[in-house]
Amino acid sequence: MGEALAYLNWLFNPFQRAEAPAIYELLSTRTATERALYLNLGFWRDAEDMDAASDALADLVAEGVRLGPDDTLLDVGFGFGDQDIRWAARHEPSQIIGLNLTGFQVQIARERVREQGLEHRIDLREGSATAMALPDESVDKITALECAFHFRSRSDFLREAFRVLRPGGRIAVADIIPRGLTGSAWHRFKQRTSWALVASKFAIPRENAYPLPTYHAELKLCGYEQIRLDSIRDQVYAPLHQWLGANRAAIRRLHPVARIAATIALTRDPASVYAGLDYVLATAAKPLRLVQRQ
């Protein structure tokens, strides 16, 4: 009963704003995936189910950093470690270090890594993305798969990532941001309302609520080069909405109260539900030589 009340308070109390670790403790291991424990929304361009879409998003992020053998990868916000186990098998980096603030996720992910016999290659730690306990220039690649929107702030994370990246290292972030306002006054209202609802329920701080051009500027200000931001929202929100509507077994894997919220959302047009949301894949590199600023 206590858990159900906590869910009701989180999802339906307009004055309740839970922090990200508390949200993920509520969500626990009840995910829409069938075979894995991913919590991401997936990349649906060629996927036919939630597991395949979640794998595809992980693959897209790995491609964004050009992950390969001999790399030391830092994966921030690793959830239950699904992507790290996949990347270790498919790309064989020399080491994966993970940072995550949600303690119970760290414990479960570590156990899953041990079950796969990968503990010598995957080192999962409880730690902050904005105050990393890592030396300067100590990793080759950094990934953040659908988590950077939670950080206080994303800008602090990007600066910390720049610090710990080696020269020439790369970063890839799969991220949720607000869309630039367009269209009629009514459409702009729907965009604002859509974003406000998601931001309030999923712990997105106000300082992270900026659109794609500002994101680009933030990366540039940190010192990154080779900056690229691609909106992939059309391969995320609408196909996910459509698949969940046709596959209610996935909804039944959620907590009963979460099922109610999901069912309500699925009765609505996805163009309205996600009107204010963009979804971007941001990639960039740290210069091989840093220019000294006067």
Side-chain angles (χ1 to χ4, degrees):
M1 179 62 72
E3 185 181 55
L5 288 174
Y7 256 99
L8 287 167
N9 192 40
W10 166 46
L11 290 172
F12 298 108
N13 181 351
F15 304 105
Q16 174 68 21
R17 291 182 67 98
E19 294 298 319
I23 292 171
Y24 288 114
E25 286 181 10
L26 269 181
L27 293 173
S28 187
T29 55
R30 302 182 187 93
T31 70
T33 48
E34 183 176 7
R35 299 178 298 279
L37 292 177
Y38 283 114
L39 290 167
N40 72 63
L41 302 180
F43 180 64
W44 292 84
R45 185 176 60 192
D46 301 311
E48 295 183 355
D49 60 40
M50 191 78 223
D51 286 86
S54 296
D55 278 339
L57 185 58
D59 292 344
L60 197 65
V61 170
E63 292 166 9
V65 292
R66 303 172 189 168
L67 185 61
D70 302 323
D71 281 337
T72 296
L73 169 68
L74 172 63
D75 183 30
V76 181
F78 55 78
F80 294 110
D82 289 277
Q83 66 265 23
D84 300 309
I85 294 169
R86 183 174 178 84
W87 292 338
R90 291 172 66 91
H91 300 280
E92 300 183 333
S94 62
Q95 184 182 29
I96 298 176
I97 301 167
L99 292 178
N100 193 329
L101 272 183
T102 306
F104 94 97
Q105 287 187 338
V106 177
Q107 294 172 10
I108 293 173
R110 283 174 176 166
E111 181 58 34
R112 298 178 78 209
V113 166
R114 281 193 292 270
E115 290 172 356
Q116 297 292 323
L118 293 169
E119 63 270 27
H120 63 294
R121 293 173 56 198
I122 303 177
D123 174 12
L124 302 180
R125 309 172 186 178
E126 188 169 345
S128 170
T130 58
M132 300 178 189
L134 291 167
D136 294 355
E137 300 184 358
S138 56
V139 302
D140 302 295
K141 309 289 172 65
I142 296 179
T143 53
L145 201 170
E146 208 169 292
C147 56
F149 51 85
H150 291 310
F151 301 156
R152 291 186 181 273
S153 65
R154 183 192 290 116
S155 298
D156 289 341
F157 158 62
L158 294 174
R159 282 190 289 271
E160 270 290 85
F162 192 88
R163 177 183 67 80
V164 303
L165 270 178
R166 294 183 178 122
R170 294 184 60 81
I171 184 172
V173 185
D175 213 350
I176 296 172
I177 61 173
R179 296 184 77 190
L181 298 178
T182 59
S184 66
W186 173 241
H187 188 256
R188 295 195 300 274
F189 171 78
K190 289 195 294 184
Q191 287 182 302
R192 292 191 185 96
T193 303
S194 169
W195 174 258
L197 178 61
V198 170
S200 65
K201 293 297 122 181
F202 289 95
I204 303 179
R206 191 183 302 273
E207 57 264 40
N208 292 345
Y210 47 75
L212 192 146
T214 306
Y215 206 133
H216 189 285
E218 287 285 332
L219 285 162
K220 190 172 182 62
L221 187 63
C222 289
Y224 293 97
E225 63 180 19
Q226 301 176 38
I227 299 168
R228 177 167 177 171
L229 289 103
D230 294 308
S231 174
I232 57 171
R233 70 180 307 275
D234 292 342
Q235 288 83 43
V236 177
Y237 299 121
L240 169 64
H241 193 96
Q242 182 179 6
W243 185 84
L244 288 173
N247 293 271
R248 295 308 176 101
I251 300 297
R252 289 193 292 272
R253 287 192 280 271
L254 305 178
H255 186 279
V257 178
R259 291 177 211 160
I260 296 171
T263 301
I264 292 171
L266 289 171
T267 64
R268 300 180 58 206
D269 179 2
S272 294
V273 175
Y274 310 105
L277 278 63
D278 206 343
Y279 197 111
V280 298
L281 179 67
T283 60
K286 183 172 181 175
L288 282 169
R289 293 184 179 181
L290 297 182
V291 176
Q292 296 294 323
R293 294 181 180 178
Q294 300 297 323

